Amino acid sequence: MKLLNLLIILIGLSCYSTPQQPDLLIYNGKTYPLHEYLLEDYFKKRPENRPQGDMRSTALWRGYVAVFKIEDKTIKLVELNVDKFDISTEIPYDTKSVNIVTEFDSKFKNEYTKHLNKLIILPIGEPSEYKKGAGIIFNSYSILNIVNSNIQEEFTFPFKTYEKLIGQKYYAFIKEEELLTVLNKLKERQK
């Protein structure tokens, strides 16, 4: 019985997890939170290259926040922030965010984004309403098809099209395979 009670408590606690600090994408002058971590595939292959801060938190299990920017249709890493102890304060274990992108770039020569291939969906329109179970609904969305770190295609579409192709699913939970299907349907509609 004790084991059953412990199991119930552990399952109940696992339902409440700390939201993660997202990586960010700057595109057309706006900053968007990304709902996936673009560097993680690289760090899984090359764990020795993962940036190390002085401390990790439950809100940042990966140890860094990456900021990407798209310029001239190319995605680039512009910031890589890790938490370091702040010795300028008297507060024990106080940390500050430190951008290490310059040393990271010089060490790894952009190999981490050179072969980036992703489909990314962004809510580019204005928030228009809140729907239970779907969160904030935006009036338009854009899918970026990134191949070898360059935008190969971009499709912008209104929420009505989103709803027809995707349904009520919140955009952060759409899997890449689903996005590929949506992208192909959008291409069909343009013909």
Side-chain angles (χ1 to χ4, degrees), residues 175-186:
K175 294 185 171 103
E176 192 155 7
E177 303 82 44
E178 292 172 291
L179 273 180
L180 185 58
T181 302
V182 170
L183 185 65
N184 289 332
K185 287 180 180 177
L186 289 169

Side-chain angles (χ1 to χ4, degrees), residues 108-142:
F108 302 114
K109 309 285 187 243
N110 262 344
E111 70 180 60
Y112 46 86
T113 56
K114 239 186 267 182
H115 306 292
L116 185 65
N117 298 305
K118 284 283 182 194
L119 288 172
I120 298 174
I121 187 165
L122 299 175
I124 61 162
E126 296 298 317
S128 59
E129 65 180 289
Y130 177 84
K131 286 195 176 187
K132 190 174 181 177
I136 296 173
I137 303 299
F138 294 84
N139 60 10
S140 60
Y141 293 82
S142 200

Side-chain angles (χ1 to χ4, degrees), residues 53-116:
D54 292 334
M55 187 176 242
R56 292 216 180 165
S57 76
T58 57
L60 193 57
W61 59 265
R62 63 194 187 285
Y64 65 87
V65 173
V67 180
F68 298 90
K69 187 173 188 178
I70 295 177
E71 287 180 324
D72 301 323
K73 295 198 172 218
T74 301
I75 189 167
K76 295 176 183 161
L77 182 67
V78 293
E79 286 184 31
L80 189 59
N81 299 302
V82 296
D83 286 337
K84 297 280 188 181
F85 287 126
D86 187 356
I87 56 173
S88 67
T89 71
E90 294 181 18
I91 302 169
Y93 303 106
D94 195 18
T95 60
K96 63 181 175 183
S97 184
V98 177
N99 184 1
I100 61 165
V101 75
T102 304
E103 70 183 61
F104 196 76
D105 267 349
S106 64
K107 197 172 181 181
F108 302 114
K109 309 285 187 243
N110 262 344
E111 70 180 60
Y112 46 86
T113 56
K114 239 186 267 182
H115 306 292
L116 185 65

